Amino acid sequence: MIVGNEKANQILEELLKRDTLSICLSGKEGLGKKSKALDLIGQILKVNTDEAAVHADLFFVEPTNSLIKLEKIRELIEFSHLKSYSGGRKFALINDAHLMNTESQNALLKLLEDPPEGQTIILITHKYDELLSTIRSRLIKVSYQKLTDDEIKTAVGRDLSTEVLILADGSVSKAKYYMDYDMSGLTDFVRAFLYRDGNYISKEPDVEDFKVMAAYATCVLKEMRKISCGEKSDLHDANIFQGKLNIKPDIIDRLLLKLDQAMSLYMGNFNKKNIFADLMMGNF
């Protein structure tokens, strides 16, 4: 189910009534941008959404190993010069367009500036600023906003905890990822981090688990900062930890920086055991 962003979806629908243009759907992950684009393309091609994704008149580009290579864009350009299979319109859809390397983006420039008659090119990204300025200048941007908590609950079809909603940050895909996560384990991590508990670091977590732990700790710290500045928070752990520790805003900022640095290093080819140990026991 696609919920929210009615205005953006309406703008996209109106744009697609034109048959030759270049568009960028920009906004956080998990807002239904790709699903809506495929749905509307399917309506134009007179097929359902699943059939649209593999239709001969749609060239659908997805990243491979977190990269969209030049070869794939060259294939798209070749496709653009072919006649329509059904005798009507043609589409190119590039998902996670920010993962095009510089060569790929430069190769795409001419096609975006002057799409062949009857062809619509749609880029989808949650990192719009990582596209080259020359690419951005050739696109009609349609901005998608993060969803409200009620819209996320509607999309997933169930009630969600405050913890999941804060982690989701307006994204349905994140909400679905987090809603069955063991929040008690995340609370234990935050407690160990804040209390500098050396017993917690017997084994470093894998990358995916650490991403979730760091994301939750970041949410808790940001809510603790709000509390420290006299604001209210609905996050239980933030209220508990800030009530007990009364950490000052400048210290919270340093903890947030420490988490961010550890996350960056953890994603790289570094000694994860040392990174984790320094995060849990090092100075800040």
Side-chain angles (χ1 to χ4, degrees):
M1 178 190 298
I2 301 173
V3 300
N5 279 295
E6 286 84 3
K7 183 177 179 181
N9 288 331
Q10 185 178 6
I11 291 171
L12 178 60
E13 191 168 353
E14 290 298 316
L15 285 171
L16 290 182
K17 291 178 180 178
R18 298 157 54 184
D19 63 7
T20 308
L21 71 165
S22 302
I23 304 169
C24 181
L25 309 185
S26 172
K28 294 178 70 66
E29 293 179 280
L31 301 181
K33 301 185 296 298
K34 181 173 71 173
S35 296
K36 188 61 180 180
L38 286 171
D39 177 56
L40 292 175
I41 290 170
Q43 291 179 36
I44 294 168
L45 296 175
K46 295 181 172 54
V47 296
N48 63 38
T49 301
D50 291 336
E51 291 170 333
V54 294
H55 196 282
D57 283 332
L58 169 64
F59 194 92
F60 190 15
V61 179
E62 294 263 35
T64 301
N65 297 324
S66 299
L67 185 65
I68 297 174
K69 295 183 178 180
L70 177 60
E71 291 78 8
K72 200 67 180 178
I73 300 303
R74 283 175 173 163
E75 289 177 24
L76 188 160
I77 293 170
E78 288 179 10
F79 163 85
S80 71
H81 294 116
L82 300 175
K83 290 184 178 180
S84 166
Y85 174 80
S86 58
R89 293 177 59 183
K90 292 171 56 182
F91 296 87
L93 183 61
I94 305 176
N95 193 36
D96 288 333
H98 56 277
L99 293 178
M100 289 187 289
N101 58 26
T102 302
E103 285 183 317
S104 299
Q105 293 193 48
N106 283 327
L108 189 63
L109 280 174
K110 177 62 177 175
L111 189 61
L112 292 177
E113 188 172 39
D114 187 23
E117 187 72 25
Q119 180 163 318
T120 299
I121 304 168
I122 303 174
L123 278 63
I124 299 174
T125 180
H126 58 275
K127 295 183 178 180
Y128 179 75
D129 290 342
E130 291 189 12
L131 297 175
L132 297 177
S133 60
T134 46
I135 290 281
R136 298 196 302 265
S137 67
R138 288 163 170 78
L139 298 167
I140 300 172
K141 182 183 179 185
V142 181
S143 297
Y144 281 71
Q145 307 302 318
K146 67 181 185 179
L147 304 182
T148 66
D149 289 350
D150 286 340
E151 287 172 336
I152 290 178
K153 292 176 187 177
T154 299
V156 301
R158 60 185 264 193
D159 198 18
L160 298 171
S161 68
T162 301
E163 289 79 5
V164 170
L165 290 170
I166 285 178
L167 277 167
D169 192 28
S171 166
V172 173
S173 60
K174 287 184 179 180
K176 289 179 178 178
Y177 180 78
Y178 291 125
M179 63 188 187
D180 294 318
Y181 221 88
D182 178 11
M183 289 295 160
S184 64
L186 298 183
T187 298
D188 290 342
F189 168 72
V190 177
R191 181 184 296 109
F193 175 55
L194 293 176
Y195 281 89
R196 322 307 290 155
D197 183 0
N199 294 323
Y200 191 86
I201 60 172
S202 58
K203 184 180 179 181
E204 71 278 6
D206 64 29
V207 172
E208 287 304 311
D209 283 340
F210 183 68
K211 283 170 66 176
V212 178
M213 293 158 66
Y216 184 63
T218 298
C219 289
V220 172
L221 284 166
K222 287 181 177 179
E223 293 297 301
M224 288 172 64
R225 198 185 195 292
K226 286 169 56 177
I227 296 168
S228 73
C229 295
E231 300 178 49
K232 292 184 178 180
S233 172
D234 294 327
L235 188 58
H236 177 74
D237 282 344
N239 283 295
I240 292 296
F241 290 131
Q242 186 61 11
K244 290 181 178 180
L245 298 172
N246 191 28
I247 304 178
K248 302 300 181 184
D250 62 322
I251 300 296
I252 293 175
D253 289 342
R254 282 154 60 184
L255 288 169
L256 285 167
L257 179 61
K258 187 83 172 178
L259 270 171
D260 185 61
Q261 291 172 337
M263 187 69 259
S264 296
L265 292 170
Y266 219 81
M267 297 298 291
N269 189 25
F270 299 98
N271 187 307
K272 292 175 174 48
K273 185 173 183 178
N274 290 343
I275 295 167
F276 192 65
D278 179 66
L279 175 67
M280 304 305 292
M281 297 299 295
N283 296 324
F284 55 81

